Every structure is written in structure tokens, then in C-alpha cells.
Amino acid sequence: MLFRRIIFNALLVGLVAGVLLSVLQFVAIDDIIIGAEQYEAAVEESAGPISQWEPDDGLQRTALTLASNIFAGIGFSAVLLALMSQLQSQGIAKLNTFKGFLWGLAGFTVFFAAPGIGLPPEIPGVDAAPLQQRQLWWLLAVICVGGGLLLLAFAQNKFKPLGGVSLFVPYLVGAPHHDGPAFSHSDLAVIESLNALHHEFILASGLSNLVFWVVLGSACAWALNRWVLVDEYS
Amino acid sequence: MATQATPSYRQDDNSPVTEASQASSRRAVLLQNIAALAFGAVILFAVGFLPLSAAHNAAHDTRHTVAFPCH
């Protein structure tokens, strides 16, 4: 059954990509997040105690991050495999591992770069617009840019301009922005180090996501031909 | 229509019977792909968007790393 084969392969690819992302995160990103949280904690302490559950730093936090990275990998893989499977079944696309690499670049563009143009990746403690507005705009950016790229790559010529227009819609609508500085800290030296951490974070998360996506895209295309559409091609 | 479906007609690749079965298999493929896409979207929602504070805190570092809107 096609559905079961997609899910099974999404679990496998997601596991590999999620572990890879966790290693990259451990090497390049965790220190930045924890560094920024120390400033955040100082602000929160002055605002009063919080009683919500959160994982203990160390093994528990690392294990939960590994698990949620794997789940993110599984979710992205299922979406990618479903789209690849549909396009290949219809004869619109013919995937191979190199084309999977290109799909990975497209996935990076759709899920990281496109929303990031309006809402740059954030370290903890950044003052930003209300969460729901940012989430809605994130979704708008992903759907418009993802749909636009699919139309440009696979639609009949008469629909391609629609794909081109779709790429710009989120930016014409405009990402929600917070009025005022990114960091509401009274100490200028702290703000300076937070800004430095933020720039470092954008670079580190960008590179990590790029590697994560090209591996995920290539692996999905390979698994698609090897295991998912096996009925049609064996 | 039933009278037209003679054995020789059925063997023809363009027969209504074969076309109907192809259409139904295309529909089955489409439905399964949509279901798989929905499965992926639900997982991504749970990891990246679920507003529950425990879910947010458990997936906190992932949300930052993959640049889902957080906090």
C-alpha cells in the first residue's frame, strides 16, 4: 500500500536527517541558544517566577531535542515524499538522487529561507510581533513560495506566471514586525553581545538547515525509486 | 452500456472498463498521497506550532533551529 510505504520511508529518512541535524545543532547552534538564554533568564527573573514544566538542561533536554528534530525530519520527509510520489505517478516528474538534491534546495528555500526573509531566525529573548501573527505569516510564506516553485517547475506554461507572482505575495502582504528594538535590555554591552549572537545564529542555523535539507531531499528521491513506487517500477 | 461490454471490447485498452479502473487507481494514488501529506503536516504542526507550553518547551531548541516562529 502506497500510504504505508511513504510513511515507513519518511520514518527512515526522517531518522537519518533528524540525527544529522542534531549533530550540526550540537556543534554549531546549542551554545548560541544557551548563551542567549542566560540573558533571557536574567530578564525573566526580574519579571517574576515561572512555573511551567521544561526539560532539565543536559541529557533530558538533549534527548527531547533529538526526538523533536527526528519528528521534524519525519514530517518534512512525509510532505516531500507525498509530493514526489504524486508527481512521479502522474508522469510529471522523474526523480533521481540529483533531482532530489535540487528538491532539497527547494525545501530549504520554502521552509527556511522564504519565511526567514520576513522573519529572520530568532535566538531566545528577541522581542517580536505576537506569536500567532508570525505563525500565520510563516504559513503564508511557505504555501505561497512552495506552491509558486511547484507551478514554475511542473505546471503547463500558461500557469507558470501565476507561480512567479505567488513567490512575491508574502512580501507584498508583509511580515508582522514588532515596533521597537529587538532586545529590551538596559545594558548596551549586553545588547551588543546579543546582536552578535543573533548574527552568528542566523549563519549557523542557515548552514545547518541547508545541509539537513539537501540530505533529506536526496534521500527522499532515492527512497522514492528504491522503495516507495516499487510496484510501478519493478 | 452493459450490452456494449462484450469480451472483445473489454480486452481493448481503451475500453470504458479499463479506463474506469485506471481512473479509480489514479484516485487511490492521489488519496494516499494526500493522506501522507496530511500526516507530515500534522507532525510538523505538533513539533513546530502546538501552543501547549510543555510541547513548546520540549521542542524548544528544534523550533529555534529550524526557524519556526517561537516565543
Side-chain angles (χ1 to χ4, degrees):
Chain A
M1 189 185 171
L2 178 63
F3 175 75
R4 203 163 39 196
R5 289 197 301 273
I6 292 180
I7 301 305
F8 179 71
N9 283 283
L11 295 179
L12 282 181
V13 175
L15 177 70
V16 172
V19 169
L20 174 70
L21 182 64
S22 301
V23 171
L24 294 167
Q25 181 174 346
F26 186 71
V27 172
I29 295 176
D30 277 352
D31 286 348
I32 304 174
I33 292 181
I34 290 168
E37 269 178 355
Q38 283 165 355
Y39 297 109
E40 189 186 35
V43 174
E44 273 172 3
E45 258 171 40
S46 61
I50 42 166
S51 57
Q52 293 161 341
W53 174 86
E54 54 182 40
D56 297 330
D57 282 347
L59 187 63
Q60 194 179 34
R61 181 170 176 174
T62 308
L64 280 170
T65 301
L66 173 67
S68 41
N69 282 349
I70 291 173
F71 276 117
I74 292 169
F76 286 131
S77 304
V79 169
L80 223 58
L81 279 170
L83 291 171
M84 287 174 165
S85 155
Q86 184 59 34
L87 290 170
Q88 183 143 318
S89 301
Q90 280 183 264
I92 295 172
K94 180 86 185 80
L95 267 297
N96 55 37
T97 310
F98 174 69
K99 284 185 185 164
F101 178 90
L102 298 180
W103 274 69
L105 289 181
F108 171 78
T109 307
V110 169
F111 287 98
F112 187 85
I117 291 172
L119 298 170
E122 283 169 359
I123 52 174
V126 172
D127 286 330
L131 180 61
Q132 272 196 340
Q133 291 179 22
R134 283 181 290 136
Q135 289 182 328
L136 276 178
W137 189 86
W138 185 95
L139 204 60
L140 177 79
V142 166
I143 289 172
C144 288
V145 175
L149 286 182
L150 280 172
L151 284 176
L152 283 173
F154 298 110
Q156 294 167 8
N157 281 338
K158 60 181 173 182
F159 294 119
K160 285 190 196 292
L162 190 64
V165 171
S166 174
L167 297 182
F168 294 97
V169 170
Y171 310 106
L172 294 174
V173 172
H177 275 294
H178 155 77
D179 296 322
F183 300 103
S184 56
H185 216 280
S186 49
D187 190 342
L188 276 179
V190 169
I191 292 180
E192 218 163 273
S193 41
L194 279 170
N195 276 326
L197 276 176
H198 195 193
H199 287 132
E200 206 183 321
F201 180 72
I202 291 173
L203 184 67
S205 61
L207 287 174
S208 303
N209 277 276
L210 184 62
V211 173
F212 167 75
W213 271 107
V214 294
V215 168
L216 191 136
S218 311
C220 279
W222 183 80
L224 183 83
N225 289 323
R226 183 74 178 77
W227 283 315
V228 175
L229 296 182
V230 76
D231 276 356
E232 286 85 341
Y233 294 96
S234 62
Chain B
M1 293 301 284
T3 53
Q4 289 179 356
T6 58
S8 65
Y9 200 93
R10 277 173 195 269
Q11 280 162 11
D12 184 345
D13 277 344
N14 296 321
S15 75
V17 174
T18 317
E19 270 179 23
S21 82
Q22 276 177 352
S24 105
S25 113
R26 273 199 300 270
R27 201 161 43 239
V29 165
L30 178 65
L31 283 177
Q32 293 187 62
N33 285 330
I34 289 173
L37 188 87
F39 168 87
V42 167
I43 290 198
L44 289 175
F45 175 79
V47 173
F49 287 79
L50 204 63
L52 220 68
S53 94
H56 164 270
N57 292 339
H60 174 265
D61 295 357
T62 300
R63 291 186 181 192
H64 276 285
T65 297
V66 299
F68 286 136
C70 196
H71 294 280

